[in-house]
């Protein structure tokens, strides 16, 4: 069955359900009413459960919530048996999924930079090769003026193309480095978040 739950932010004591599996709920803020001395925040979401008793967990709620004001309602075909809120802390000894995903993205960007630098090295080698060949072509006494002009245009076009590509690649490297710096800022933010407390809300139904 599908149930819609509504959390404004403790009703009864919580006991006798420690052996039940805990189902994590995902909720979104649906409405906020601001007052002079605070705010009322409504969160809502959906969950599908099999028949029987369950413990539902809303995790990582702001620790600024007034626990005495928490209300839970809106379940259909299910009775709320108990609600408990408790203070919890992020586990600072393990990397969160958020940090792992950011690190994965950083690693991918670093590999991209390595690949781009290899392309730049290849273009630099090609440029040296062209310059050396242009010197050899100029030493040919039997080459006509038309051939020299054609050769000069060829080398000019190729060198301009190579150098423009190198500039574009270097700009791409800088962009990726900027993105990596942004990702490290997100990691630092996530690490500082792990040092903070939050509210866990357990709902027995």
């Amino acid at each position: 069955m599908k149930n819609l739950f509504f959390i404004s932010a403790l009703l009864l004591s919580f006991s006798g359900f420690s052996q039940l599996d805990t189902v994590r709920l995902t909720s979104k803020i649906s409405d906020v009413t601001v007052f002079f001395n605070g705010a009322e925040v409504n969160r809502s979401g959906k969950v599908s459960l099999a028949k029987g008793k369950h413990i539902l967990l809303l995790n990582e709620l702001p620790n600024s919530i007034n626990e005495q004001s928490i209300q839970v309602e809106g379940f259909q075909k299910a009775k709320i048996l108990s609600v408990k809120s408790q203070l919890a802390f992020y586990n600072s000894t393990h990397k969160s999924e958020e940090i792992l995903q950011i690190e994965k993205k950083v690693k991918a960007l670093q590999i991209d930079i390595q690949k781009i630098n290899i392309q730049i090295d290849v273009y630099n080698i090609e440029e040296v090769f062209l310059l050396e060949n242009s010197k050899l072509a100029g030493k040919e006494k039997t080459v006509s003026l038309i051939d020299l002009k054609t050769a000069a245009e060829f080398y000019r076009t190729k060198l301009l193309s190579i150098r423009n590509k190198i500039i574009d690649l270097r700009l791409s490297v800088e962009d990726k480095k900027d993105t990596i710096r942004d990702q490290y800022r997100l990691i630092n933010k996530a690490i500082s978040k792990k040092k903070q407390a939050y509210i866990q809300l357990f709902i027995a139904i």
Side-chain angles (χ1 to χ4, degrees):
M1 62 179 177
K2 289 189 175 181
N3 295 315
L4 177 68
F5 60 92
F6 167 90
I7 296 90
S8 298
L10 196 73
L11 294 179
L12 305 173
S13 62
F14 190 85
S15 62
F17 299 97
S18 58
Q19 303 302 317
L20 299 179
D21 291 334
T22 300
V23 179
R24 289 178 176 264
L25 298 183
T26 300
S27 66
K28 294 182 180 180
I29 295 175
S30 56
D31 184 50
V32 177
T33 304
V34 180
F35 304 102
F36 287 109
N37 59 344
E40 179 184 276
V41 180
N42 298 328
R43 304 180 70 94
S44 62
K46 291 183 178 181
V47 62
S48 296
L49 299 170
K51 188 176 181 180
K53 293 181 179 180
H54 302 275
I55 296 177
L56 311 180
L57 168 62
L58 266 78
N59 208 19
E60 299 186 14
L61 298 175
N63 63 1
S64 57
I65 290 175
N66 179 355
E67 297 182 40
Q68 301 303 318
S69 70
I70 297 175
Q71 297 180 22
V72 181
E73 60 186 48
F75 287 94
Q76 299 174 3
K77 299 181 182 179
K79 181 181 178 181
I80 298 173
L81 302 175
S82 184
V83 177
K84 176 187 177 181
S85 63
Q86 69 179 26
L87 192 65
F89 293 87
Y90 291 97
N91 188 344
S92 59
T93 61
H94 293 85
K95 292 181 179 179
S96 65
E97 183 63 28
E98 179 184 5
I99 292 177
L100 290 173
Q101 289 300 318
I102 295 173
E103 288 182 341
K104 184 177 180 181
K105 185 173 182 179
V106 168
K107 186 175 181 180
L109 287 165
Q110 290 171 335
I111 292 173
D112 287 343
I113 289 174
Q114 290 176 357
K115 290 179 179 180
I116 293 172
N117 284 331
I118 290 171
Q119 292 181 61
I120 292 173
D121 289 341
V122 171
Y123 279 123
N124 283 328
I125 293 171
E126 186 177 353
E127 181 179 348
V128 171
F129 177 78
L130 283 171
L131 290 172
E132 291 298 325
N133 275 274
S134 67
K135 293 176 184 178
L136 292 173
K139 291 180 181 179
E140 290 288 340
K141 295 181 180 179
T142 57
V143 176
S144 67
L145 183 60
I146 294 176
D147 289 337
L148 280 174
K149 287 183 177 180
T150 302
E153 183 177 350
F154 168 77
Y155 286 117
R156 181 174 63 252
T157 302
K158 287 293 293 181
L159 286 171
L160 282 172
S161 175
I162 289 171
R163 291 180 179 179
N164 284 329
K165 286 177 180 177
I166 289 174
I167 290 173
D168 290 340
L169 290 170
R170 285 175 176 167
L171 289 173
S172 180
V173 167
E174 291 305 314
D175 286 342
K176 292 184 183 298
K177 286 182 177 179
D178 287 340
T179 303
I180 288 175
R181 283 189 282 268
D182 290 339
Q183 296 303 308
Y184 277 124
R185 280 191 282 267
L186 291 176
I187 289 177
N188 290 333
K189 186 177 179 181
I191 290 173
S192 65
K193 178 183 175 183
K194 284 165 69 67
K195 298 177 182 178
Q196 299 173 3
Y198 60 90
I199 296 293
Q200 290 182 317
L201 190 64
F202 296 90
I203 307 164
I205 62 172

